Amino acid sequence: MGNHDLHLLAVSLGIHKAKPKDKTLPILEASDRDELLNWLRQQPLLLEHDEFVVCHAGISPQWTLKQAKKCAKKVANKLRGDDWQSLIKNMYSNEPDAWSSELKGIERLRYTINAYTRMRFCFPDGRLDMSCKLPPSEVNPSEYVPWFALPSREPLSKTVIFGHWAALGGYVSEEVIGLDTGCVWGGELTMIRWEDKALFSQPAL
């Protein structure tokens, strides 16, 4: 589940209007629209494999893997429940931007959604930045730090595979693998073969 998926659900509720660049009108106008949207609501924010985890934007640098899984499950359960519309209506905000175990209710859910679906940079103190979409080479490192490069980031026992950040242009390390290479913007669609970490790319058609 990513930011565009949640945006589609918001559009379906009339919270936002569909834009041509969304390319989602065929879904919203489909005869089985409700079935498709209900299927979408069942999708998780985090998938776990024996050796890696997969998510849309990343895992909050302030979370352990146990916390990350717990928070993702809370949001997924809410989206799958009868009151999912309330979550969609109240998820739009950049606050809170820092994790605390004291966060409750919508604030806890909103932080989780922002981390999993919108995050790119953090401020040096670990707070999430929701505005900058540039590549790391074009920002002042004393102001913005990629979420995965924050020195205080909690160590995870598994590699994190993510997308979302087209300007990153792909990123591979032992701890994180960013596969978004901007296909939607005319770049490439990239996949990884986990066994040997080989990358395969297809230019946008």
Side-chain angles (χ1 to χ4, degrees):
M1 182 77 76
N3 53 312
H4 290 284
D5 305 306
L6 294 171
H7 174 68
L8 174 59
L9 293 174
V11 170
S12 76
L13 295 175
I15 298 171
H16 288 290
K17 291 184 178 180
K19 301 174 183 178
K21 70 176 183 178
D22 293 341
K23 302 186 185 300
T24 54
L25 278 179
I27 299 173
L28 297 169
E29 296 175 351
S31 59
D32 58 349
R33 157 197 162 123
D34 291 344
E35 181 181 349
L36 294 170
L37 294 174
N38 285 334
W39 175 86
L40 187 61
R41 289 196 295 113
Q42 309 309 309
Q43 305 315 304
L45 270 71
L46 182 70
L47 290 172
E48 185 177 15
H49 181 270
D50 290 342
E51 299 177 11
F52 59 84
V53 292
V54 181
C55 54
H56 183 73
I59 290 180
S60 167
Q62 298 176 329
W63 283 338
T64 62
L65 185 56
K66 181 179 179 180
Q67 288 172 320
K69 291 191 288 186
K70 183 178 179 180
C71 289
K73 186 175 182 180
K74 288 266 188 184
V75 172
N77 287 343
K78 188 75 171 177
L79 284 171
R80 294 166 184 166
D82 295 335
D83 193 34
W84 66 274
Q85 296 97 331
S86 175
L87 175 59
I88 299 298
K89 291 175 182 176
N90 292 285
M91 69 178 181
Y92 287 99
S93 174
N94 294 338
E95 299 292 336
D97 60 2
W99 170 251
S100 167
S101 59
E102 301 302 312
L103 290 176
K104 305 295 182 184
I106 188 59
E107 289 197 334
R108 188 184 187 100
L109 296 170
R110 188 186 296 132
Y111 178 89
T112 300
I113 288 172
N114 284 341
Y116 271 119
T117 71
R118 299 177 59 208
M119 177 176 66
R120 294 182 182 90
F121 287 105
C122 290
F123 296 105
D125 62 4
R127 290 178 299 115
L128 305 184
D129 168 72
M130 294 290 110
S131 60
C132 187
K133 300 180 181 181
L134 297 171
S137 60
E138 294 183 22
V139 303
N140 185 335
S142 67
E143 295 180 8
Y144 297 110
V145 183
W147 65 267
F148 50 81
L150 196 71
S152 61
R153 177 175 172 249
E154 287 284 346
L156 303 179
S157 58
K158 298 185 179 184
T159 300
V160 180
I161 301 177
F162 67 101
H164 182 62
W165 197 348
L168 197 59
Y171 182 90
V172 178
S173 74
E174 287 294 322
E175 297 181 343
V176 297
I177 298 173
L179 290 178
D180 191 338
T181 45
C183 183
V184 71
W185 308 115
E188 299 179 328
L189 183 66
T190 299
M191 65 175 285
I192 186 169
R193 184 170 60 205
W194 180 252
E195 290 78 6
D196 60 0
K197 311 303 184 292
L199 296 172
F200 302 87
S201 295
Q202 164 65 49
L205 301 177

